Amino acid sequence: MTHHLPEHLVAGYRTFLEKRLPAERERFRELAEAGQHPPTIVIACCDSRAAPETIFNSSHGEIFVVRNVANLVPPYEPDGEYHSTSAALEFAVQALKVEHILILGHSGCGGIHAALSPNADPLSPGDFIGKWMSLLDPVAKAMNGNEQMTSRERHAALERVAIRHSIGNLRTFPMIRDLEAQNKLTIHGAWVDIANGDLWSMDPESGDFERMNFETA
Amino acid sequence: MTHHLPEHLVAGYRTFLEKRLPAERERFRELAEAGQHPPTIVIACCDSRAAPETIFNSSHGEIFVVRNVANLVPPYEPDGEYHSTSAALEFAVQALKVEHILILGHSGCGGIHAALSPNADPLSPGDFIGKWMSLLDPVAKAMNGNEQMTSRERHAALERVAIRHSIGNLRTFPMIRDLEAQNKLTIHGAWVDIANGDLWSMDPESGDFERMNFETA
Amino acid sequence: MTHHLPEHLVAGYRTFLEKRLPAERERFRELAEAGQHPPTIVIACCDSRAAPETIFNSSHGEIFVVRNVANLVPPYEPDGEYHSTSAALEFAVQALKVEHILILGHSGCGGIHAALSPNADPLSPGDFIGKWMSLLDPVAKAMNGNEQMTSRERHAALERVAIRHSIGNLRTFPMIRDLEAQNKLTIHGAWVDIANGDLWSMDPESGDFERMNFETA
Amino acid sequence: MTHHLPEHLVAGYRTFLEKRLPAERERFRELAEAGQHPPTIVIACCDSRAAPETIFNSSHGEIFVVRNVANLVPPYEPDGEYHSTSAALEFAVQALKVEHILILGHSGCGGIHAALSPNADPLSPGDFIGKWMSLLDPVAKAMNGNEQMTSRERHAALERVAIRHSIGNLRTFPMIRDLEAQNKLTIHGAWVDIANGDLWSMDPESGDFERMNFETA
């Protein structure tokens, strides 16, 4: 038969069918019947090296996942247009009643690169990346002016600043603010170094990121 | 140390560190240095049971992934606000120069359910899901009025109709239309039955979905 | 007998005499007779948690060590006053003919904290710390204005910026510039996280710091 | 990975990671969080054979350490240029509130040798060692003219004279003089024979140095 899909996906699906599905068939069926109940929504980047399922070795049904460029959350805009990320948040929080929201950033983010290249030409006449990354305008400028940091350091710094900025935006949603106040919802930040797999989690008090290690756990 | 993350993610990360990373450390470093070159962008649903990395057994760096509720693509709106999905498409097509776009739907989609429940109360005063799913208004109405199909049939039908609708929207983007005309970009549709792992790929000519099987390949 | 020293040093010396010296007596004698030939000068901070002998498990005679607040190198000023650090550099490079210069920074540096607190009161009327840290004035200002980074992130960033600034100052010394041009002297930067012992070495090309790990070495 | 550091330091760090850090990880973290509280500042020489951490078997966080050529303290010069050693003293006394200052000299000191070779060529056109050792001009001349002592005796004598001279300079700092008068700060001198590890402590009354031994303690 003709598969109508890119060959690498056909090959990958075949491996899934042969290697993974047989052991999980029962779980697939159960989750289809009972519905999903993931405890956590993860907002991650589209980057092919930043799949949260890989970093967290997630099982089927474990995490509800939004992926957009640079893992951004826009501020609450109830009168606005259709908003992809806000819709997913609303569904996760109100319908699925997740207990955790995690914003997962990563090193080498192309969206952050765009935010740090304000004078670059738009990628297309529509300049969708330019508009999308303008969500970081309030915080990107201070970083752009800093010539003492290397390009990579500016990137890594803005990747973290952006996570905190998105967390601030999360708290402009009344439903999130209320549930957090009731201790029914916890907000987390993390950043993964895609060069070596190091994961840095954010201290909710200070906003600092610290590399997770298990040597003393 | 305090990990500041939900326990299930800490445990999963630890498994990643111990079981998967050691064998892939070199690949991680190479992909961080060389940059990502995924051949394909996948637009999938946020559903915790619809991770494309699972279905396609994807390796690190293989697919660039957008995940929004119901795997929708809005139409080209160059003068609009920031658009998450359009930004990701622009980045994948113009910057990463992917060769394939795949829209991956799935059974039991909550967003499709909302589109088929036009009189339900909004999930929150902002009604973000309502606005987001209104992208399907042009095609959902005919389905809503169809009392002959069972509820499950209407869902499955709209899940496929929605994929073809998003493919139509993709072709309103000049960059995509042009590259497709030059045979530099191919558009695909697929739908996965999360109850049993069956994958149905769309025939690009007829728009029909056919279950992929390898027994006769 | 009365030892005339703080008790903790008397106790430590006694342990040295009993535990370490017996095994190294011969090495002590040889090094006293032959003179020291350390291959490397390390410029480190006075901080009690940043001893290079600890981090590098250095043996007796292995490293020539300058320690000043914030591990700074002033620029070349041949007509200036006596300069402690410049004198040590001259001795190491010209008399001992070291092959390597390493500037070793660290997290939580009190001197860097002072440089990031420009409006704090002087510690004493002489304001020696204020004058000393003014060596970083050319690079500290951009960091001071950045309110998006946390206090700890600003510190860590300036700790690295300062290492690169000192490396720039090293290259204002003609003897160092000449020997480096002849490949007889190599300049290095590193930064140690005193919270967990992680050591980050500086890429001499990009100036970026990368955590050293031996899993793939 | 490329480590960007001299091989002997890479090997030493690796040993630190494997042998010392595991047992001290908790102490590292605690000291990073609580800040350093060393009871003592040690002013020692840069010489690779004179590390105070070795002689005093110091634990992490135990001593705040200045190292300059010949362990000198310049006199109080509040209107002068930036002074590395004065800055460190100010920080230790005013910010860390150390209770002890120790000046630690040693045998075979190259700086003392330079001070006893007034007609030698400068090591470089900047003559930084010459300027630095000129701090000892007030006391070196009498020693230079003394033909009755052997070269080694003149060295050992000036090494001790220099410690007492630096102690005199310490007392030109008002903050030190005041705290000493209030019995909040004690000044010590010591000299280590690097050929055999003998430590000689200075009697604060007479200024004499006496070899420390524990056989009769």
Side-chain angles (χ1 to χ4, degrees):
Chain A
M1 67 177 287
T2 311
H3 292 302
H4 306 305
L5 289 184
E7 278 182 28
H8 71 107
L9 297 184
V10 173
Y13 176 61
R14 191 162 186 169
T15 302
F16 162 76
L17 278 188
E18 292 168 2
K19 298 276 165 65
R20 178 162 177 175
L21 185 62
E24 300 209 37
R25 203 176 285 279
E26 200 48 43
R27 181 167 174 77
F28 271 64
R29 180 179 316 275
E30 285 168 10
L31 275 168
E33 283 170 8
Q36 62 175 333
H37 296 286
T40 301
I41 175 174
V42 180
I43 296 154
C45 183
C46 300
D47 194 295
S48 61
R49 303 161 297 180
E53 285 83 1
T54 299
I55 304 302
F56 296 116
N57 190 48
S58 306
S59 60
H60 191 67
E62 184 179 348
I63 52 178
F64 187 82
V65 177
V66 175
R67 291 180 71 178
N68 62 39
V69 171
N71 41 277
L72 299 182
V73 175
Y76 182 65
E77 294 186 357
D79 302 324
E81 306 258 321
Y82 48 85
H83 292 306
S84 168
T85 305
S86 305
L89 276 167
E90 185 184 78
F91 190 80
V93 168
Q94 300 293 91
L96 299 179
K97 304 194 185 305
V98 294
E99 296 159 36
H100 301 278
I101 302 178
L102 168 65
I103 299 184
L104 177 66
H106 70 98
S107 65
C109 179
I112 294 292
H113 180 77
L116 287 172
S117 313
N119 301 318
D121 288 335
L123 285 174
S124 82
D127 192 20
F128 292 105
I129 279 286
K131 286 171 196 156
W132 177 246
M133 295 311 302
S134 75
L135 282 167
L136 289 185
D137 279 353
V139 292
K141 275 166 191 166
M143 212 60 72
N144 268 324
N146 190 322
E147 299 290 333
Q148 271 74 46
M149 295 170 80
T150 68
S151 165
R152 196 160 155 190
E153 286 172 350
R154 277 195 301 275
H155 276 73
L158 186 55
E159 283 156 7
R160 294 170 187 208
V161 165
I163 291 170
R164 289 192 295 266
H165 185 63
S166 283
I167 287 176
N169 285 344
L170 278 178
R171 293 188 172 123
T172 62
F173 288 74
M175 62 181 178
I176 291 176
R177 210 167 41 214
D178 291 352
L179 287 165
E180 197 184 21
Q182 298 168 47
N183 290 320
K184 292 183 176 168
L185 187 63
T186 311
I187 297 177
H188 310 266
W191 179 89
V192 63
D193 187 336
I194 60 166
N196 55 22
D198 282 350
L199 184 68
W200 297 62
S201 68
M202 194 190 79
D203 182 318
E205 298 300 319
S206 66
D208 285 317
F209 285 74
E210 188 178 4
R211 184 170 75 83
M212 291 178 71
N213 78 68
F214 296 95
E215 279 124 19
T216 59
Chain B
M1 66 177 290
T2 312
H3 292 303
H4 305 304
L5 289 183
E7 278 181 30
H8 71 106
L9 296 183
V10 173
Y13 176 60
R14 192 163 185 166
T15 302
F16 162 75
L17 276 189
E18 290 168 4
K19 298 279 164 63
R20 177 162 179 177
L21 184 62
E24 299 209 36
R25 203 175 282 276
E26 202 47 46
R27 181 167 174 76
F28 271 63
R29 179 177 309 275
E30 284 168 12
L31 275 168
E33 283 170 8
Q36 61 175 333
H37 297 285
T40 301
I41 174 174
V42 179
I43 296 154
C45 183
C46 301
D47 194 295
S48 61
R49 303 161 296 180
E53 286 82 0
T54 300
I55 305 302
F56 296 116
N57 190 48
S58 305
S59 60
H60 190 68
E62 185 179 347
I63 51 177
F64 187 84
V65 177
V66 176
R67 291 180 72 178
N68 61 40
V69 172
N71 42 275
L72 300 183
V73 176
Y76 182 65
E77 294 186 356
D79 302 323
E81 304 259 320
Y82 46 84
H83 291 308
S84 168
T85 305
S86 305
L89 276 167
E90 184 184 80
F91 190 80
V93 168
Q94 300 292 93
L96 299 179
K97 302 193 185 308
V98 295
E99 296 161 35
H100 302 278
I101 302 178
L102 167 65
I103 299 182
L104 176 67
H106 69 100
S107 64
C109 179
I112 295 293
H113 179 78
L116 288 172
S117 315
N119 301 319
D121 288 334
L123 286 174
S124 81
D127 192 21
F128 293 105
I129 278 288
K131 287 171 195 155
W132 177 247
M133 294 311 302
S134 75
L135 282 166
L136 289 185
D137 279 353
V139 293
K141 276 168 190 163
M143 209 62 69
N144 269 324
N146 189 322
E147 300 290 334
Q148 275 69 46
M149 295 170 82
T150 68
S151 164
R152 196 158 159 187
E153 285 169 351
R154 277 198 301 276
H155 274 75
L158 185 54
E159 282 156 6
R160 294 170 189 207
V161 165
I163 292 169
R164 289 193 294 268
H165 184 63
S166 283
I167 287 176
N169 284 344
L170 278 179
R171 292 186 173 125
T172 62
F173 287 74
M175 60 181 179
I176 292 175
R177 208 166 45 214
D178 292 353
L179 287 166
E180 196 183 21
Q182 299 167 48
N183 291 319
K184 291 183 177 168
L185 187 63
T186 311
I187 297 176
H188 310 266
W191 177 90
V192 63
D193 186 336
I194 60 167
N196 55 22
D198 281 351
L199 184 69
W200 297 61
S201 69
M202 191 191 81
D203 182 319
E205 298 300 320
S206 66
D208 282 322
F209 284 75
E210 186 178 6
R211 184 170 76 84
M212 292 176 70
N213 78 72
F214 298 94
E215 282 126 22
T216 60
Chain C
M1 66 176 287
T2 311
H3 292 303
H4 305 305
L5 289 184
E7 279 182 28
H8 71 106
L9 296 183
V10 172
Y13 176 60
R14 191 162 185 169
T15 302
F16 162 75
L17 278 188
E18 290 168 3
K19 299 277 165 64
R20 179 161 176 176
L21 185 63
E24 299 208 37
R25 203 176 285 277
E26 200 47 44
R27 182 167 173 76
F28 271 63
R29 180 179 316 274
E30 285 168 12
L31 275 167
E33 283 170 8
Q36 62 174 333
H37 296 285
T40 301
I41 174 174
V42 179
I43 296 154
C45 183
C46 302
D47 194 295
S48 61
R49 302 161 296 179
E53 286 82 0
T54 299
I55 304 302
F56 295 116
N57 191 47
S58 306
S59 60
H60 191 66
E62 185 179 348
I63 51 177
F64 187 83
V65 177
V66 175
R67 291 180 72 178
N68 61 41
V69 172
N71 41 276
L72 300 182
V73 175
Y76 181 64
E77 295 186 355
D79 301 324
E81 304 254 322
Y82 46 85
H83 290 309
S84 166
T85 305
S86 304
L89 276 167
E90 186 184 76
F91 190 79
V93 168
Q94 300 292 91
L96 299 179
K97 302 194 185 308
V98 294
E99 296 160 35
H100 301 279
I101 302 178
L102 167 65
I103 299 183
L104 176 67
H106 69 100
S107 65
C109 179
I112 295 292
H113 180 77
L116 288 172
S117 313
N119 301 319
D121 288 334
L123 286 174
S124 81
D127 193 20
F128 293 104
I129 279 287
K131 286 172 197 154
W132 177 246
M133 295 311 301
S134 75
L135 282 167
L136 289 184
D137 279 354
V139 292
K141 277 167 189 163
M143 213 60 71
N144 268 324
N146 190 321
E147 300 289 332
Q148 272 73 45
M149 296 170 80
T150 67
S151 165
R152 195 161 156 188
E153 286 172 350
R154 277 196 301 274
H155 276 72
L158 185 55
E159 283 155 6
R160 294 171 187 207
V161 165
I163 292 170
R164 290 193 294 268
H165 185 64
S166 283
I167 287 177
N169 284 345
L170 278 178
R171 291 186 174 125
T172 62
F173 287 75
M175 60 180 179
I176 291 175
R177 210 166 44 214
D178 292 352
L179 288 166
E180 197 184 21
Q182 299 167 45
N183 291 320
K184 292 184 176 166
L185 186 64
T186 311
I187 297 177
H188 310 266
W191 177 89
V192 63
D193 187 336
I194 60 166
N196 55 21
D198 282 350
L199 185 68
W200 297 63
S201 69
M202 192 190 82
D203 182 318
E205 298 300 319
S206 65
D208 284 318
F209 285 74
E210 189 177 2
R211 184 169 75 84
M212 291 177 70
N213 77 69
F214 296 95
E215 279 124 17
T216 59
Chain D
M1 66 176 290
T2 312
H3 292 303
H4 305 303
L5 289 183
E7 278 181 30
H8 71 106
L9 296 184
V10 172
Y13 176 61
R14 193 164 186 166
T15 302
F16 163 75
L17 276 189
E18 291 168 3
K19 299 277 164 63
R20 178 162 177 176
L21 185 62
E24 300 209 36
R25 203 176 281 279
E26 204 46 46
R27 181 166 174 76
F28 271 63
R29 179 176 309 275
E30 284 169 11
L31 276 167
E33 282 170 9
Q36 61 175 333
H37 297 286
T40 301
I41 175 175
V42 179
I43 296 155
C45 182
C46 300
D47 194 296
S48 61
R49 302 161 296 180
E53 285 83 0
T54 300
I55 305 302
F56 296 116
N57 189 48
S58 306
S59 61
H60 191 66
E62 184 180 347
I63 51 177
F64 187 82
V65 177
V66 176
R67 292 180 72 178
N68 61 40
V69 171
N71 41 276
L72 299 183
V73 176
Y76 181 65
E77 293 186 357
D79 302 324
E81 304 253 323
Y82 47 85
H83 291 308
S84 166
T85 304
S86 305
L89 277 167
E90 185 184 78
F91 190 80
V93 169
Q94 300 292 91
L96 300 179
K97 303 194 185 305
V98 295
E99 296 160 35
H100 301 279
I101 302 178
L102 168 64
I103 299 183
L104 176 66
H106 69 100
S107 64
C109 178
I112 295 293
H113 180 76
L116 288 172
S117 314
N119 300 319
D121 289 335
L123 286 174
S124 82
D127 192 20
F128 292 104
I129 279 286
K131 285 172 196 154
W132 177 246
M133 295 311 302
S134 75
L135 282 167
L136 289 185
D137 280 354
V139 293
K141 276 169 189 164
M143 210 61 70
N144 268 323
N146 189 323
E147 299 291 334
Q148 274 69 46
M149 296 171 82
T150 68
S151 164
R152 197 157 158 189
E153 285 169 350
R154 275 197 301 276
H155 275 76
L158 185 55
E159 283 155 7
R160 295 171 187 206
V161 165
I163 292 169
R164 288 192 295 267
H165 184 64
S166 283
I167 288 176
N169 284 343
L170 278 179
R171 293 189 171 123
T172 62
F173 287 74
M175 61 180 178
I176 291 175
R177 208 166 44 214
D178 292 353
L179 287 166
E180 197 184 21
Q182 298 167 48
N183 290 319
K184 291 183 177 167
L185 187 63
T186 312
I187 297 177
H188 310 266
W191 178 90
V192 63
D193 186 336
I194 60 167
N196 56 21
D198 282 351
L199 184 69
W200 297 61
S201 69
M202 191 190 80
D203 181 319
E205 299 301 320
S206 66
D208 282 322
F209 283 75
E210 186 178 6
R211 185 171 75 84
M212 292 175 71
N213 78 73
F214 297 94
E215 282 128 20
T216 60

